[in-house]
Amino acid sequence: MKNRLMSDNQQQQLDFIAYIQRLLVEGDFSATYKFALLHALADVCVEQPLISEQATLKIDLATLADKLIVLYWHHAVPFAADQTGENALLKQNSGVQSKVISVLYECQQNNIRNLRALKQSHLYKATFNAALATLKTGPLWRLQILAKQAECFLYPHTHSTQYITLNAGIASCFRRFYDLVVYLAKNAWLQKIQSIKHNQTLIGPQSQLHDFLFGFDRNALSKAKPVLIELQQGTCFYCQKPLHNKTEVDHFIPFARYANDLGHNFVAAHSACNNNKRDFLAAQCHRERWEEQNLVIHSQHLTRELSDYFNCDADKSRSVSDWAYQVAQVNSAKLWVGVNEFEAVDFNYQQLCIELGRVAEGKPKYSL
């Protein structure tokens, strides 16, 4: 019984990590509030005692609202010395400034210099109410929307006005992987802030530092575009409609999942399709067409045309594809079909084990 309980706990921990990974890839993060909420949940789980590894944990929304204030306090400090007013603040979304930031900035303009002073001031109630309202109307019920569907792995969507309850074992997972969750939340938060055009004018060239160090060569991608357009006969790889002046080169296996450029991994697509696909894996129908187009019919052509700019190895591209879709199966990830349309992975656990075993033994992937 003890061994079985240990095994169940370990499986839940693996499922937890897989879910956090999916949340950051499949979630729609138009603002930074969800990253702050994920950070806040991890903090609360560490700060509150836990009865057992499989215990649930009730968290008052007031506690989370207070956490948002703490996490955003330093973000409300003017960043750019050559700007005035709220124009000097980094934005937390691509639209108007976030309500919590505006309220905290107003507090700081009233000579409130730290959180302790804020809590003792007459402005705290209005600040707290703004944070609580933001929490209730936004991230609390949107954090667990993955590929446009609610998957309540962390806590049920009860829409209570007072609290949420973490599912059994989730608080323990947050405690076990606190450092990792906070690191991922902060890194995604940073990338979101850097991606907002308003912020890039304030931050300067360092806003592109991540892409400079770890990104792909966009100039090299321009070499691939005409080759792909020609072999796709001028149609978008995904929607199959004629390409136009807003054509982009897409990493079929997303760069965010496998951060290396492989010449056979590119397709030409409308910018709308590419941007909507983002970091999702494409649906199985797209995968089959990609394999036929890039790994079979035009494999040698792509090697001839692109080997001066990229690593062109069809077998390696196939292996990376197999790995990515196997991970998607294990994680029950959603696959991108078309604009705002997703499908579940067709999961066959027995077949997956057979395939993994064959690959590990160096045998052909499928039996004949």
Side-chain angles (χ1 to χ4, degrees):
M1 177 65 72
K2 182 178 180 180
N3 290 337
R4 180 178 179 182
L5 180 60
M6 182 179 298
S7 177
D8 289 344
N9 289 341
Q10 290 173 342
Q11 183 59 53
Q12 185 178 40
Q13 290 176 357
L14 292 174
D15 292 342
F16 176 82
I17 294 299
Y19 181 83
I20 296 298
Q21 181 184 24
R22 287 189 58 211
L23 184 152
L24 294 173
V25 171
E26 299 180 25
D28 183 9
F29 294 91
S30 58
T32 64
Y33 285 136
K34 295 178 189 176
F35 305 127
L37 175 57
L38 189 61
H39 193 319
L41 289 171
D43 283 352
V44 172
C45 289
V46 170
E47 295 166 357
Q48 296 191 12
L50 199 61
I51 299 174
S52 69
E53 287 192 352
Q54 284 301 304
T56 60
L57 182 63
K58 182 178 176 180
I59 303 177
D60 293 335
L61 299 192
T63 300
L64 293 175
D66 187 64
K67 276 290 180 186
L68 288 189
I69 293 173
V70 173
L71 289 169
Y72 278 108
W73 175 255
H74 291 293
H75 293 235
V77 175
F79 182 87
D82 60 344
Q83 298 288 332
T84 59
E86 290 199 27
N87 287 332
L89 303 177
L90 292 173
K91 284 191 175 183
Q92 303 289 329
N93 57 39
S94 55
V96 298
Q97 182 60 273
S98 300
K99 178 66 174 177
V100 173
I101 293 292
S102 296
V103 172
L104 290 176
Y105 174 71
E106 182 180 351
C107 292
Q108 294 179 14
Q109 294 304 297
N110 280 274
N111 294 319
I112 297 175
R113 293 291 175 252
N114 55 61
L115 288 165
R116 185 170 181 270
L118 173 60
K119 290 189 176 183
Q120 293 175 344
S121 77
H122 69 282
L123 295 174
Y124 181 72
K125 183 176 181 180
T127 303
F128 173 82
N129 288 340
L132 184 61
T134 296
L135 183 70
K136 289 181 178 179
T137 58
L140 199 62
W141 315 121
R142 296 178 184 172
L143 178 68
Q144 300 182 104
I145 303 296
L146 278 61
K148 309 298 181 181
Q149 294 183 351
E151 297 191 28
C152 300
F153 181 83
L154 302 178
Y155 52 88
H157 279 181
T158 59
H159 289 268
S160 167
T161 59
Q162 301 297 325
Y163 63 87
I164 60 170
T165 302
L166 297 186
N167 294 325
I170 295 301
S172 177
C173 289
F174 269 116
R175 293 165 66 93
R176 171 68 177 79
F177 299 109
Y178 174 82
D179 290 345
L180 177 61
V181 171
V182 169
Y183 170 80
L184 293 174
K186 285 183 174 179
N187 187 57
W189 193 340
L190 174 64
Q191 290 188 42
K192 180 61 182 178
I193 286 178
Q194 289 179 332
S195 72
I196 297 171
K197 290 184 178 180
H198 168 83
N199 295 341
Q200 291 174 2
T201 62
L202 301 182
I203 298 172
Q206 69 223 50
S207 64
Q208 303 299 324
L209 182 60
H210 185 277
D211 285 347
F212 175 78
L213 294 175
F214 308 113
F216 49 84
D217 187 344
R218 296 186 184 276
N219 290 328
L221 288 189
S222 66
K223 305 295 184 181
K225 184 186 293 187
V227 177
L228 296 168
I229 292 175
E230 179 182 6
L231 66 85
Q232 291 174 201
Q233 299 181 339
T235 60
C236 172
F237 178 81
Y238 296 110
C239 69
Q240 302 290 288
K241 295 179 181 178
L243 290 165
H244 43 60
N245 58 348
K246 292 186 178 180
T247 298
E248 297 179 353
V249 176
D250 176 51
H251 290 75
F252 182 75
I253 302 300
F255 191 82
R257 295 181 180 235
Y258 177 75
N260 293 280
D261 281 331
L262 296 177
H264 292 81
N265 190 39
F266 300 131
V267 295
H270 291 132
S271 59
C273 292
N274 187 23
N275 293 333
N276 193 261
K277 175 178 174 276
R278 296 190 300 156
D279 296 332
F280 290 99
L281 287 177
Q284 188 64 31
C285 61
H286 298 310
R287 182 189 181 191
E288 291 172 359
R289 284 193 298 104
W290 169 75
E291 289 182 344
E292 182 180 15
Q293 172 183 292
N294 287 21
L295 305 186
V296 180
I297 298 175
H298 300 290
S299 176
Q300 294 182 5
H301 178 69
L302 287 171
T303 298
R304 285 195 305 271
E305 296 295 327
L306 301 180
S307 58
D308 287 343
Y309 311 102
F310 307 102
N311 182 358
C312 291
D313 186 329
D315 290 337
K316 182 178 291 186
S317 290
R318 188 185 298 277
S319 295
V320 170
S321 169
D322 290 344
W323 160 78
Y325 281 89
Q326 287 162 2
V327 171
Q329 285 185 318
V330 172
N331 292 348
S332 300
K334 291 293 193 297
L335 303 182
W336 184 87
V337 179
V339 175
N340 295 333
E341 183 181 356
F342 302 87
E343 69 178 18
V345 177
D346 183 13
F347 182 74
N348 184 324
Y349 185 78
Q350 183 177 7
Q351 182 62 32
L352 175 62
C353 291
I354 293 173
E355 292 174 11
L356 289 173
R358 287 181 174 275
V359 171
E361 294 173 7
K363 297 178 179 179
K365 181 179 173 185
Y366 299 106
S367 57
L368 299 177

